[in-house]
Amino acid sequence: MEYIKNASKGFQWGVEKAADLGYRYVEPMVHTGWDLLSEVNFFHSFSTEEDPLLMKEICDQAGVKVSSISGHSPLMKPEAAVPRLTQAIVFAAACGAKFVNTDDMDKPEWMEDDFAYTMMKYTLTKANFVAQRHKVYICIEPHGTFTCTSKGILSIVNLVPSPWIKINWDTGNFYLANFEDPYEGLERVKDYVVHIHAKDISQQHSEKERGVVTGTPVGCACGEGEIDWERIFKILDPLDREIFLSVECGQVDEAERSLAFLTKILGEKLID
């Protein structure tokens, strides 16, 4: 749903536009409380104060399904992350989705690493109780202090032994962070990957921010940047499970070109 960010439109408009473009699934972003821009349909995020079945109804009417919920929460800040994650899990379950995406985010300067891991373990322990009940995966994404290395993201995934804590692989974030080869990193964590943010990074963006940031809100159209998609799918191909690709770009036309590119390159691997 990030593809409509620059269009300054609301959730329902974005869902209907996704359907028009040919997408069969969307990944809604949720927020707690009330957001003025969303209330006046200038932003696509959906409040968890609303009825989750309203989200499902809007998607059903447009002919698309919810693949996952973008419930990004600072795992090191449990007072924010626990209610946000648990509400996102309930929304996912109500809409028939199996995944909620989140990440560690940035560690405060005053927080020691051991303390950060204690906070993240608490957050994930609480959220895991809800995930187990609703049978929804909590997917950790590379986009923060610890998650942008394969060792780091696995250390968080394994904080709480659970079949419901997995990985949402963000192709663009891991590439930009540049702590290790992005394809070797994916190879190391692939057994935990159940969801992917299909994000490409333009050459200009790469030259400006690679090695400087650990993540970015959106990328360019898939197939028009620095990501080697054929190599990514070669790594994932042996996995015997369905994996959702959630395109993450910033413009409607980029979403259209991304769908055309991914449809072409994946071919018969796409599930109808």
Side-chain angles (χ1 to χ4, degrees), residues 80-151:
V82 171
R84 183 174 168 85
L85 266 182
T86 54
Q87 289 175 42
I89 291 167
V90 171
F91 261 69
C95 293
K98 294 297 182 183
F99 312 99
V100 168
N101 297 318
T102 189
D103 61 84
D104 54 336
M105 296 197 183
D106 295 328
K107 181 173 71 72
E109 292 183 2
W110 54 266
M111 185 178 284
E112 299 291 336
D113 285 2
D114 287 349
F115 188 19
Y117 272 90
T118 298
M119 294 295 98
M120 290 191 287
K121 184 173 182 178
Y122 175 84
T123 296
L124 288 172
T125 298
K126 293 283 287 184
N128 184 57
F129 290 134
V130 184
Q132 291 178 112
R133 295 188 196 106
H134 291 272
K135 294 181 171 52
V136 170
Y137 292 100
I138 300 168
C139 300
I140 312 299
E141 174 184 321
H143 194 158
T145 302
F146 301 106
T147 49
C148 284
T149 66
S150 55
K151 181 179 179 181

Side-chain angles (χ1 to χ4, degrees), residues 189-194 235-243:
V189 305
K190 66 181 181 182
D191 290 341
Y192 293 86
V193 174
V194 294
I235 294 169
L236 297 174
D237 194 45
L239 302 179
D240 186 21
R241 61 176 174 273
E242 181 180 86
I243 297 178

Side-chain angles (χ1 to χ4, degrees), residues 216-257:
T216 188
V218 294
C220 63
C222 293
E224 298 180 6
E226 299 296 297
I227 302 301
D228 186 342
W229 293 100
E230 290 188 358
R231 190 170 176 186
I232 285 175
F233 295 134
K234 184 177 181 180
I235 294 169
L236 297 174
D237 194 45
L239 302 179
D240 186 21
R241 61 176 174 273
E242 181 180 86
I243 297 178
F244 279 93
L245 296 175
S246 181
V247 171
E248 197 168 24
C249 56
Q251 305 280 354
V252 172
D253 62 318
E254 291 174 344
E256 185 173 20
R257 297 199 302 276

Side-chain angles (χ1 to χ4, degrees), residues 46-219:
F46 196 96
S47 174
T48 55
E49 301 292 332
E50 297 280 10
D51 181 354
L53 293 183
L54 174 59
M55 175 186 285
K56 184 177 186 300
E57 181 180 292
I58 292 171
C59 293
D60 286 347
Q61 289 175 351
V64 299
K65 298 178 181 179
V66 178
S67 64
S68 53
I69 295 290
S70 178
H72 284 271
S73 310
L75 296 180
M76 289 173 267
K77 191 174 184 179
E79 67 271 27
V82 171
R84 183 174 168 85
L85 266 182
T86 54
Q87 289 175 42
I89 291 167
V90 171
F91 261 69
C95 293
K98 294 297 182 183
F99 312 99
V100 168
N101 297 318
T102 189
D103 61 84
D104 54 336
M105 296 197 183
D106 295 328
K107 181 173 71 72
E109 292 183 2
W110 54 266
M111 185 178 284
E112 299 291 336
D113 285 2
D114 287 349
F115 188 19
Y117 272 90
T118 298
M119 294 295 98
M120 290 191 287
K121 184 173 182 178
Y122 175 84
T123 296
L124 288 172
T125 298
K126 293 283 287 184
N128 184 57
F129 290 134
V130 184
Q132 291 178 112
R133 295 188 196 106
H134 291 272
K135 294 181 171 52
V136 170
Y137 292 100
I138 300 168
C139 300
I140 312 299
E141 174 184 321
H143 194 158
T145 302
F146 301 106
T147 49
C148 284
T149 66
S150 55
K151 181 179 179 181
I153 196 168
L154 288 176
S155 71
I156 296 173
V157 168
N158 291 312
L159 274 175
V160 179
S162 171
W164 298 104
I165 300 178
K166 299 292 185 180
I167 289 176
N168 169 51
W169 188 255
D170 189 301
T171 55
N173 288 355
F174 206 86
Y175 170 85
L176 279 178
N178 201 30
F179 289 118
E180 63 186 279
D181 181 271
Y183 311 103
E184 293 176 2
L186 176 58
E187 183 71 47
R188 295 184 186 106
V189 305
K190 66 181 181 182
D191 290 341
Y192 293 86
V193 174
V194 294
H195 193 279
I196 291 178
H197 275 171
K199 181 191 292 179
D200 213 333
I201 303 297
S202 70
Q203 182 180 4
Q204 182 181 13
H205 191 174
S206 177
E207 291 172 352
K208 180 180 179 181
E209 292 197 323
R210 193 172 192 204
V212 178
V213 299
T214 57
T216 188
V218 294

